[in-house]
Amino acid sequence: MGLIVDTLGHLLENEAAYGEKIQAGLRFLRDTDFAGQAAGRHEVDENMFYFINEYETKDAGECFWEAHRVNLDLHYILEGTERIGYAAIEQLAVKEEYSAEKDAVFFTGALESAVTAGPGALVVCYPQDGHMTGIEAGRKEAVRKVVLKIKL
């Protein structure tokens, strides 16, 4: 599989097309009220945790590429709009080797492809998907989103 870009509603309508863990993640996002939850890490169970991220978008030159090996990323936009860059990790150069503690490897590379994600959008990043988040979509904007991490 590769990067998936859609809305939570559409993905839920077709959830049978996805594995059991992603289906559980989609239902979790649907059933959880994130309003009023503090920014930072929140535990769900042994297979899932999430971050509430709040930031202002910026120029792509100030953002960074990353990918993960242990967890899938489900980026669910609550407020604001951002662009999320994507590239196969083979197209990027390793900047910082994999850290098991962070479950991340960081890359450098040109931004050639990006999607625009606004409220309700969901972007699923697999281990082979290098992704760059927080890119401004025409102007700087405050973004609040959930990044649900699902253990593979």
Side-chain angles (χ1 to χ4, degrees), residues 57-74:
T57 58
K58 49 194 164 198
D59 182 77
E62 300 174 62
C63 300
F64 58 89
W65 288 106
E66 67 177 341
H68 312 288
R69 293 184 183 165
V70 176
N71 297 295
L72 295 177
D73 269 7
L74 278 68

Side-chain angles (χ1 to χ4, degrees), residues 2-81:
L3 189 84
I4 298 171
V5 181
D6 209 329
T7 64
L8 178 58
H10 287 155
L11 290 172
L12 283 163
E13 287 172 11
N14 299 296
E15 72 177 291
Y18 304 102
E20 176 181 311
K21 289 182 178 183
I22 290 181
Q23 289 180 37
L26 295 172
R27 289 190 298 271
F28 173 79
L29 291 171
R30 176 195 64 204
D31 297 340
T32 303
D33 181 5
F34 298 103
Q37 288 194 25
R41 183 179 170 135
H42 303 265
E43 299 296 326
V44 178
D45 60 32
E46 66 277 356
N47 291 313
M48 287 191 287
F49 65 94
Y50 65 95
F51 292 98
I52 300 280
N53 291 343
E54 298 174 342
Y55 51 82
E56 185 173 89
T57 58
K58 49 194 164 198
D59 182 77
E62 300 174 62
C63 300
F64 58 89
W65 288 106
E66 67 177 341
H68 312 288
R69 293 184 183 165
V70 176
N71 297 295
L72 295 177
D73 269 7
L74 278 68
H75 295 255
Y76 179 48
I77 311 299
L78 301 173
E79 299 170 15
T81 300

Side-chain angles (χ1 to χ4, degrees), residues 49-132:
F49 65 94
Y50 65 95
F51 292 98
I52 300 280
N53 291 343
E54 298 174 342
Y55 51 82
E56 185 173 89
T57 58
K58 49 194 164 198
D59 182 77
E62 300 174 62
C63 300
F64 58 89
W65 288 106
E66 67 177 341
H68 312 288
R69 293 184 183 165
V70 176
N71 297 295
L72 295 177
D73 269 7
L74 278 68
H75 295 255
Y76 179 48
I77 311 299
L78 301 173
E79 299 170 15
T81 300
E82 71 177 333
R83 291 176 60 231
I84 298 177
Y86 61 94
I89 58 174
E90 296 83 11
Q91 297 173 326
L92 303 170
V94 174
K95 178 180 180 181
E96 191 176 314
E97 292 293 333
Y98 179 75
S99 162
E101 180 182 328
K102 296 177 184 177
D103 182 34
V105 57
F106 297 96
F107 300 94
T108 60
L111 175 64
E112 296 180 8
S113 300
V115 297
T116 301
L122 184 62
V123 178
V124 181
C125 302
Y126 285 85
Q128 69 271 19
D129 300 324
H131 50 283
M132 178 189 289

